[in-house]
């Protein structure tokens, strides 16, 4: 761990490369599991204040930073997303990435001030606004010109491959954790057929966000309007069901993703109804009948896939997701499994809620 002074010096030096001003304050920002994110408040030469978001990027998770940044530069410059994603900054030399004294890569965005994000929600209006924002995000990206975006993490939502990686980690059991994980391993194996539920070739390939966790939406303080979508590293060709499903997983469960009390995790139907409504407001006009049918399966598959990923990481010694202690991934697995059971138990209700949205395409007011 670096001591705070040297971290401040690093932040100041990185900010200086973007010619943003003198560092007045800084601190950690958000709760992402991959990069390290900070805000930096700077005083410009003219005496004004400006806030940046600085990110030290995780090269272990994203070894191909070239692909990440090439995609991000295209997305940030897409006219139909102007103002809806944070502006990416460049140095005087036109570089979007700078390296600190330790050789670690950083990037910078203008901070959209006056906004907040939420890790857990229990307000249907917030859920509706988040779903509308993610739906609209896909809609706005439908006009992205040029070749397909690159895939910095190939097979990111290849659930079959995620299952295979999980089985391989169980077989290796490098950290002797398969024993304590026995009930969860059994619960994951029982549901192996979920890997077959979404068949990519049968559904249209869109440009999707692929990490639609509720905390990747920024809300304006006070009004609680959804104003921006962040965390764009996984934006690639993908299925609408992935984006809808990951949102179901994170936005209909009022309990923390790593709650020590996983039994409390549950899919709340009122939140799901709000989510469906917002999603149809944002992406409704884009969706085909096959995509309508894929939404509830998307929720099941994305929840299952994340449980597999947490389990794989736990078995492999917590190398991927940032953890606070050696039980952290275990708590995460249990919450996802509980959510999955809750979705399975309410599947008919969820399908009925989606059918209602389909029936009232103009009723989304
Ligand atoms: C990671 O970066 P963050 O925390 O928004 C992960 C997602 C998971 C999520 C679970 C690149 O997202 O896929 O769903 O954690 N992102 C990556 O909380 O693996
Ligand atoms: Mg994030």
């Amino acid at each position: 761990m670096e001591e705070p002074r040297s971290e401040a010096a690093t932040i100041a030096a990185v900010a200086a490369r973007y010619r943003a001003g003198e560092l007045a304050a800084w601190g950690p920002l958000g709760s992402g599991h991959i990069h390290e994110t900070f805000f930096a408040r700077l005083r410009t030469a003219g005496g004004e204040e400006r806030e940046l978001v600085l990110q030290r990027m995780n090269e272990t998770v994203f070894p191909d930073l070239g692909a990440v940044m090439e995609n991000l530069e295209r997305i940030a410059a897409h006219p139909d997303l102007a103002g809806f994603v944070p502006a990416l900054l460049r140095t005087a030399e036109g570089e979007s990435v700078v390296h600190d004294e330790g050789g670690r890569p950083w990037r910078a965005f203008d901070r959209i001030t006056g906004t907040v994000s939420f890790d857990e929600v229990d307000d249907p209006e917030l859920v509706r606004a988040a779903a509308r924002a993610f739906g609209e995000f896909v809609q706005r990206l439908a006009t992205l010109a040029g070749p397909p975006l690159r895939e910095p993490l190939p097979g990111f939502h290849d659930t079959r491959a995620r299952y295979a990686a999980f089985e391989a980690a169980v077989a290796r059991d490098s950290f002797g954790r398969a024993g304590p994980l026995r009930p969860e391993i059994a619960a994951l194996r029982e549901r192996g057929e979920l890997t077959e539920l979404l068949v990519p070739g049968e559904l249209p390939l869109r440009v999707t966000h692929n990490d639609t966790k509720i905390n990747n939406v920024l809300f304006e303080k006070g009004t609680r309007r959804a104003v921006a979508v962040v965390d764009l590293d996984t934006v690639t060709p993908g299925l609408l069901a992935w984006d809808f499903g990951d949102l179901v997983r994170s936005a209909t469960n009022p309990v923390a993703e790593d709650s020590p009390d996983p039994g409390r995790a549950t899919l709340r139907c009122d939140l799901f109804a709000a989510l469906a409504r917002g999603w149809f407001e944002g992406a409704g006009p884009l969706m085909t009948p096959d995509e309508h049918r894929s939404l509830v399966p998307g929720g099941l598959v994305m929840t299952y896939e994340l449980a597999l990923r947490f389990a794989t990481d736990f078995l492999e010694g917590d190398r991927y997701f940032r953890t606070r202690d050696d039980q952290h991934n275990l708590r995460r697995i249990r919450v996802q499994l509980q959510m999955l059971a809750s979705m399975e138990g309410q599947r008919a209700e969820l399908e009925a809620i989606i059918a209602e949205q389909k029936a009232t395409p103009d009723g989304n007011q």
Side-chain angles (χ1 to χ4, degrees), residues 32-34 62 153 156 211 213 216 231 234 246 249 257 306 309-310 320-321:
H33 299 333
I34 311 293
F62 287 103
L153 303 175
F156 190 61
D211 187 3
K213 196 156 66 165
N216 286 331
D231 209 341
T234 51
D246 203 34
R249 170 193 88 60
E257 191 177 90
L306 190 60
R309 293 175 63 197
F310 285 147
Y320 188 97
F321 296 101

Side-chain angles (χ1 to χ4, degrees), residues 103-143:
R104 309 266 320 263
W106 292 72
R107 65 185 169 191
F109 301 92
D110 261 323
R111 183 169 187 196
I112 304 178
T113 51
T115 58
V116 281
S117 64
F118 301 94
D119 291 334
E120 296 97 43
V121 284
D122 64 0
D123 172 2
E125 276 312 306
L126 271 185
V127 173
R128 177 181 171 189
R132 190 194 302 127
F134 278 126
E136 205 183 311
F137 182 79
V138 177
Q139 181 100 264
R140 288 176 184 234
L141 268 171
T143 51

Side-chain angles (χ1 to χ4, degrees), residues 117-130 214-215 219 224 247 250-256 264 266-275:
S117 64
F118 301 94
D119 291 334
E120 296 97 43
V121 284
D122 64 0
D123 172 2
E125 276 312 306
L126 271 185
V127 173
R128 177 181 171 189
I214 184 89
N215 68 12
F219 294 90
R224 295 188 147 202
L247 193 56
S250 66
T252 65
N253 170 21
V255 170
R264 288 180 46 237
T266 182
L267 182 149
R268 253 181 45 193
C269 261
D270 63 324
L271 297 180
F272 182 86
L275 189 154

Side-chain angles (χ1 to χ4, degrees), residues 22-27 39-43 49-52 111:
E22 203 173 303
L23 187 64
W26 66 280
F39 76 89
R41 188 169 310 128
L42 300 129
R43 222 173 323 276
E49 286 209 335
R50 177 171 177 195
E51 283 200 33
L52 305 190
R111 183 169 187 196

